[in-house]
């Protein structure tokens, strides 16, 4: 019997049920355990995996690469500039070629339409490694980290402070609503998520019991948060926006005062990374020289606090991506979820 996951692509969280998402998170925890105990789990022996990256990546690339190798598969990195995609060859034609040689394809790029077209025309599972709209593999790692910290997911409150309309915010809003997590997007009015997305989140929330809050009011937004989450103020492809975003988002910086406003003793901090918490990078130094700011979406104090779990979250990218690849490509025996 084929599992419900076999042959399926992961393009956006909304294509999966709550039970399926929870299955993948729990399966990732199991695979993590196996890895720590050096137990072999080569479910994809002999498979070839294409890793398409139109945008830069550390975690997603490293996670897909190491996860594929652990599973016995061969990952092949096809970066922007290495292949014809977009310049001399359409997504459709590229998908047909890659689908005839590879057993699964990861894609990170700009348009959601591109990852959907890859899935449509390649005939193999396609995994969205981030588009302008969604970051679904990130969500599995995030909620695995939440489960590790709290022993549960449902009923918790997650407040995301920062750019309220980027891929990570969109994905948290929908995934939180599906999973029954009270999800607060705390952001200035100018950066409120798309109204259609909020409607969709509310539809899921009605079923799951989650409470959705979109607010510019920091006190109201972070109150009661078990998880305080942020992401960069300027996403890949939006580099011209720094000045505008700094002006809008500086009050929404995650600092100790904001953490204290949750009113909770055991709030954790999460960040998908990379983060601007100091001036140890070229871009951060440029921002400091231009705007006099040495920390952006999160202060170094919070980033280095004992309640900050962004590096466990980063490690969990690998275990969760491994779960997705194994479940969708490994012919596993998963009779029900
Ligand atoms: N969080 C995340 O996707 O990191 P990378 O951009 O390094 O892949
Ligand atoms: N919102 C960020 C996420 C990076 C993992 C970006 O798209 O650049």
């Amino acid at each position: 019997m084929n599992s419900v996951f076999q042959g399926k692509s992961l393009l956006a969280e909304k294509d999966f049920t709550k039970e399926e998402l929870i299955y993948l998170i729990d399966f990732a925890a199991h695979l993590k355990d196996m890895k720590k105990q050096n137990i072999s789990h080569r479910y994809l022996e002999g498979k070839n995996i294409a890793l398409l990256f139109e945008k830069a990546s550390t975690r997603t690339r490293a996670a897909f690469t190491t996860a594929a190798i652990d599973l016995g598969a061969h990952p092949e990195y096809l970066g922007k500039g290495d292949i014809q995609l977009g310049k001399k060859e359409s997504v459709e034609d590229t998908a047909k070629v890659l689908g005839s040689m590879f057993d699964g394809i990861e894609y990170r790029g700009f348009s959601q339409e591109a990852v959907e077209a890859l899935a449509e025309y390649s005939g193999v599972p396609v995994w969205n490694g981030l588009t302008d709209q969604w970051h679904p593999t990130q969500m599995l790692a995030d909620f695995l980290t939440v489960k590790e910290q709290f022993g549960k997911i449902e009923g918790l409150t997650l407040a995301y402070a920062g750019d309220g309309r980027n891929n990570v915010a969109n994905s948290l809003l929908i995934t939180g609503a599906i999973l029954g997590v009270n999800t607060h997007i705390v952001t200035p009015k100018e950066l409120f998520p798309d109204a259609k997305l909020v409607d969709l989140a509310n539809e899921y929330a009605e079923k799951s019991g989650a409470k959705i809050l979109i607010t510019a009011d920091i006190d109201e937004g972070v109150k009661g948060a078990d998880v305080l989450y942020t992401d960069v103020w300027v996403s890949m492809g939006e580099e011209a926006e720094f000045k505008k975003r700094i002006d809008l988002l500086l009050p929404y910086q995650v600092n100790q005062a904001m953490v204290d406003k949750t009113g909770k003793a055991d709030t954790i901090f999460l960040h998908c990374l990379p983060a601007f918490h100091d001036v140890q990078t070229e871009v951060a130094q440029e921002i400091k020289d231009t705007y006099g700011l040495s920390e952006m979406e999160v202060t170094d104090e919070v980033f280095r606090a004992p309640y900050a779990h962004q590096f466990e979250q980063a490690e969990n990218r690998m275990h969760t991506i491994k779960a997705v690849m194994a479940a969708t490509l490994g012919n596993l025996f998963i009779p029900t979820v």
Side-chain angles (χ1 to χ4, degrees), residues 92-328:
E92 178 178 343
D93 294 358
T94 305
K96 288 174 178 165
V97 173
L98 295 181
S100 72
M101 301 181 190
F102 288 95
D103 302 287
I105 302 171
E106 179 277 352
Y107 171 82
R108 165 174 288 201
F110 294 88
S111 88
Q112 181 65 20
E113 291 69 33
V115 77
E116 283 168 10
L118 268 178
E120 184 178 349
Y121 295 111
S122 68
V124 298
V126 171
W127 309 296
N128 179 355
L130 177 147
T131 59
D132 288 346
Q133 210 177 336
W134 307 112
H135 198 0
T137 63
Q138 181 73 52
M139 294 304 109
L140 299 172
D142 296 351
F143 286 104
L144 172 58
T145 312
V146 166
K147 192 159 186 182
E148 286 172 343
Q149 293 304 317
F150 293 97
K152 62 172 190 171
I153 295 173
E154 202 164 354
L156 294 172
T157 297
L158 180 149
Y160 169 95
D163 176 6
R165 37 136 302 285
N166 74 11
N167 38 24
V168 170
N170 291 345
S171 280
L172 284 170
L173 180 59
I174 297 302
T175 312
I178 294 173
L179 294 178
V181 174
N182 305 317
T183 306
H184 301 177
I185 304 292
V186 192
T187 188
K189 286 224 154 47
E190 292 85 341
L191 296 174
F192 270 18
D194 189 86
K196 280 205 199 95
L197 217 62
V198 179
D199 288 346
L200 182 63
N202 276 315
E203 271 175 43
Y204 282 120
E206 237 170 77
K207 264 211 309 207
S208 71
K211 283 199 210 70
I212 302 300
L213 174 67
I214 315 293
T215 181
D217 183 325
I218 294 167
D219 289 8
E220 183 196 15
V222 306
K223 191 168 174 227
D226 301 290
V227 182
L228 202 48
Y229 195 124
T230 191
D231 183 15
V232 288
W233 290 345
V234 170
S235 286
M236 288 181 276
E238 300 181 322
E239 288 74 10
E241 303 283 304
F242 266 113
K243 170 81 177 93
K244 239 195 313 194
R245 293 288 167 77
I246 289 171
D247 290 344
L248 279 171
L249 287 169
L250 197 51
Y252 294 83
Q253 178 187 66
V254 178
N255 49 36
Q256 191 56 50
M258 185 188 276
V259 176
D260 293 340
K261 282 183 180 182
T262 64
K264 289 262 184 168
D266 58 352
T267 299
I268 66 165
F269 170 75
L270 292 182
H271 192 311
C272 54
L273 303 177
F276 288 103
H277 61 97
D278 59 18
V279 286
Q280 303 297 315
T281 67
E282 277 170 33
V283 177
Q285 189 57 53
E286 242 178 80
I287 298 293
K288 172 133 199 270
D289 296 343
T290 317
Y291 306 108
L293 211 62
S294 51
E295 299 162 321
M296 284 201 272
E297 73 275 8
V298 57
T299 60
D300 204 46
E301 183 186 13
V302 168
F303 194 82
R304 294 179 190 280
Y307 56 77
H309 293 280
Q310 66 277 1
F311 291 112
E312 288 106 303
Q313 194 184 355
E315 180 193 326
N316 284 339
R317 296 297 306 287
M318 198 275 257
H319 307 296
T320 44
I321 281 170
K322 189 186 282 179
V324 171
M325 288 197 291
T328 55

Side-chain angles (χ1 to χ4, degrees), residues 80-93:
K80 188 180 165 63
D82 296 338
I83 57 172
Q84 314 279 17
L85 176 63
K87 283 181 294 275
K88 280 176 66 184
E89 199 158 27
S90 66
V91 175
E92 178 178 343
D93 294 358

Side-chain angles (χ1 to χ4, degrees), residues 10 22 25 32 55 101 118 131 137 172 205 225 310 329 332:
L10 172 58
I22 287 171
I25 292 165
K32 183 173 181 175
K55 290 176 175 172
M101 301 181 190
L118 268 178
T131 59
T137 63
L172 284 170
Q310 66 277 1
L329 201 54
L332 303 186

